[in-house]
Amino acid sequence: MALKFVSLAALVAAANAGIAPVGYAGAPFAGGYAAPIARAYAAPVAAKAYAPAPVAYAAAPVAKVEEYDPNPQYAYGYDVQDAITGDSKSQTEHRSGDVVQGSYSVIDPDGTKRTVEYTADPVHGFNAVVHREPLAAKVAAPVAYAAPVAKVAAPVAYAGHAYH
């Protein structure tokens, strides 16, 4: 089926491109063939010359000069404690001029709490100290089991039918 579709598509493409004749030239007669189809093509139309439209130029907008703060300061922090998912993380950071100090903590997949304290300044660059502390191990409450029930089947006595 796909071959038929591709063949039909190729035939339509060839007819549109002018490769395959589209018209019917008549039935061939004995001893000869039909004359080829004459096609007439129109000459290309000369392009008209148009003058470019006048363009109005506006003055370039003046760039706004942002104020430079020689002593930038900020402080922020966040704390996430999600009891449902167990997600626990926090971060604090503050900046005074070119000196940035902060810390963040996160619970690693192995169950330890990783706390990173960092500072950055133009003299010493970026420095970080990493502390890892194990969290208190979660002790599961002992599971109470029911005492096993002894199932002893009493022997079943069959009373035989007495055939007289």
Side-chain angles (χ1 to χ4, degrees), residues 4 25 56 58 71 115 117 155:
K4 291 178 183 178
N71 189 24
T115 303
E117 297 174 350

Side-chain angles (χ1 to χ4, degrees), residues 4-129:
K4 291 178 183 178
F5 178 73
V6 171
S7 300
L8 179 64
L11 184 61
V12 169
N16 284 338
I19 297 171
V22 179
Y24 180 70
F29 58 92
Y33 295 99
I37 299 174
R39 294 181 184 239
Y41 296 100
V45 178
K48 294 182 181 179
Y50 292 102
V55 178
Y57 293 99
V62 177
K64 292 183 180 179
V65 178
E66 294 184 21
E67 294 183 22
Y68 174 72
D69 187 1
N71 189 24
Q73 296 182 353
Y74 67 82
Y76 76 90
Y78 67 86
D79 187 25
V80 175
Q81 304 296 326
D82 190 353
I84 295 174
T85 63
D87 193 14
S88 175
K89 55 190 166 192
S90 63
Q91 181 178 6
T92 60
E93 182 175 295
H94 65 275
R95 177 179 180 175
S96 179
D98 290 335
V99 178
V100 178
Q101 294 178 334
S103 68
Y104 67 89
S105 67
V106 65
I107 306 298
D108 286 334
D110 63 356
T112 59
K113 180 178 181 181
R114 179 174 28 129
T115 303
V116 179
E117 297 174 350
Y118 59 90
T119 59
D121 59 39
V123 177
H124 299 103
F126 180 82
N127 293 304
V129 178

